Amino acid sequence: MTRGHLRDYFAGVGVKRLRAVDAEPKSSNQHEIGTTSQMRRQFLHTDGKERFKTIFVWLGDDQNFVIDEGCSTHYDTRSNQPHRTPEWRLYYQANRVTELMRQGDTLFLAMTPGRTLYFIVTPDGSTSQRQVSWLFGFSASDSQPTGTLFVSREVKTDEPGLNFAARMILEQLGIEFKDPIARSIDTIIDPLGETFPKTAELSKLARESLGEVRAEEDPDTALVEWLDREEAVFRRFERRIVSKRLQIDQGFLLGDGEADVDGFISFSLSIQNRRKSRMGYALENHLEAVFLAHHVSYVRGFSTENKHRPDFLFPSGEAYRAAPESGAPHLTMLGAKSSCKERWRQVLAEASKIQTKHLLTLEGGISEPQTQQMRESDLQLVVPRPIQDTYTADQRRWLWTLSDFIREVKRRARL
């Protein structure tokens, strides 16, 4: 399901591999990067010296995320020398993000329609590099250029809409998705009152609101659409609750009119923690609904060795307990993680009677070195079909869909 467009957030973007002179203060006296005539024509423009509000983002792997705000200036270094060819550069302020970037990292310069510049840095060869490249429509060769100049493009209004994977990447960049169907969700959340329901209840409500989606026919699409709808319902309901809290007693003020800083921080943290924990539970809830629709025998959260609890164990806890230490061919386990990063290794220690582990993730564009490590660790990655487009052709030949996984579990159950 697609909603919104990339053009709603970005007007143009350029990508380049950073040289030492671009990234490291020891190699350069200036924090400057040269721009191209194509970038200037597409989105930077050359109407004279221009100062941009700039969002600096570092996206490493293993949940390594840094964001900072500052300014950058686009100017012609030869503006006082009219007889010479103009030389345009972007001067950026030093900050926590620029201190992390190094030669060989990938820089994305992305301009919003409101003229705010995003300065996004990803490590070379990382999952984050692959994800951001895919979001902005760059090929692997574009995001790993061999030259010294930017490769750039203008974001068009008629480009395909943003799907579930794209919206997840926007969130990693710290961008709040503006859902064009948000108001239509009100009829779904009205019966909820003013208290957040349990995640299982919200998951069920999301599925019931999409009665035409049937996991029996297409489990991959059903899983993604259910999650997508639950995310929309959750965010709309969250906005309603937060808006009301901000209106009570003029927001966060103490009796003497002093700002209730501690109360605001506590409230903000509760929102962030709820967002982080909810997606994982929602994924498990909807996977359970898929397995029930396909009459797959399973147990959820069964305790195996050393108190490990695989998310799903097939066909049952009793079958696992009765199997010899060397395992049995009818046993299967599945971990479920909305995002992997380096956390995929946690699955390897679960259910030691099962040699080949299976892990389902919603994360798009995991790097090829990381998926190769998974293969070498005897872990099979399962990615819903609508998200597999974010992976390379070679990776897709190895990936399993959720449909593939269900067929294999049913095959093993007959052994």
Side-chain angles (χ1 to χ4, degrees), residues 5 129 166 185-186 257 260 267 272-273 341 377 385 412:
H5 294 81
Q129 179 195 53
I185 300 295
D186 288 344
D260 183 9
F267 183 67
Q272 296 301 319
N273 290 335
K341 302 300 183 184
S377 300
R385 187 182 299 105
R412 293 186 183 190

Side-chain angles (χ1 to χ4, degrees), residues 246-313:
L246 294 176
Q247 292 167 6
I248 296 174
D249 299 326
Q250 298 181 359
F252 292 89
L253 292 177
L254 299 173
D256 57 1
E258 182 181 352
D260 183 9
V261 176
D262 291 339
F264 172 78
I265 293 175
S266 177
F267 183 67
S268 177
L269 287 175
S270 70
I271 293 173
Q272 296 301 319
N273 290 335
R274 185 185 294 114
R275 286 186 175 187
K276 290 177 182 178
S277 64
R278 185 197 57 80
M279 178 59 83
Y281 288 121
L283 175 57
E284 292 181 31
N285 292 337
H286 294 306
L287 276 171
E288 187 170 30
V290 169
F291 297 145
L292 289 171
H294 283 266
H295 307 289
V296 172
S297 178
Y298 70 94
V299 63
R300 185 173 169 181
F302 182 79
S303 180
T304 60
E305 303 81 9
N306 301 318
K307 297 184 179 180
H308 287 298
R309 292 183 178 274
D311 295 318
F312 292 93
L313 193 62

